[in-house]
Amino acid sequence: MAEASDKKGILLQNLQDAGFDIQTIHQCISLADKKQEAQLLRLLAYQKNRLLDMLHKNQEKIDCLDFLVYQIKHGNII
């Protein structure tokens, strides 16, 4: 884990933990080095939206499984 005073290390760790690919991590670090905050925040927002989309798609799958289990338990499937 990065030390609290190691800003680049903290950024790197958080980007990895957030699921960024290596190319985008390098891009984010470059933007941070250049103090291009607006562009960096756009990349972070894009990743957040991507993760939320994945979450919603997986929630739909979970809902389908819950419905299937309900139907099986109530004798409507088998």
Side-chain angles (χ1 to χ4, degrees), residues 2-57:
E3 293 293 322
S5 61
D6 179 14
K7 291 181 180 182
K8 190 176 279 191
I10 292 169
L11 176 61
L12 174 63
Q13 187 63 54
N14 275 276
L15 293 170
Q16 290 171 338
D17 292 347
F20 281 90
D21 61 57
I22 193 70
Q23 180 181 358
T24 309
I25 288 173
H26 289 301
Q27 187 178 3
C28 288
I29 291 173
S30 176
L31 290 170
D33 288 343
K34 296 174 188 173
K35 308 271 191 246
Q36 295 179 331
E37 182 179 309
Q39 293 90 330
L40 178 57
L41 290 173
R42 272 195 289 277
L43 276 178
L44 298 178
Y46 176 80
Q47 177 71 356
K48 180 180 178 179
N49 287 332
R50 209 173 68 77
L51 291 170
L52 282 170
D53 286 343
M54 291 170 43
L55 176 69
H56 293 144
K57 287 176 184 171

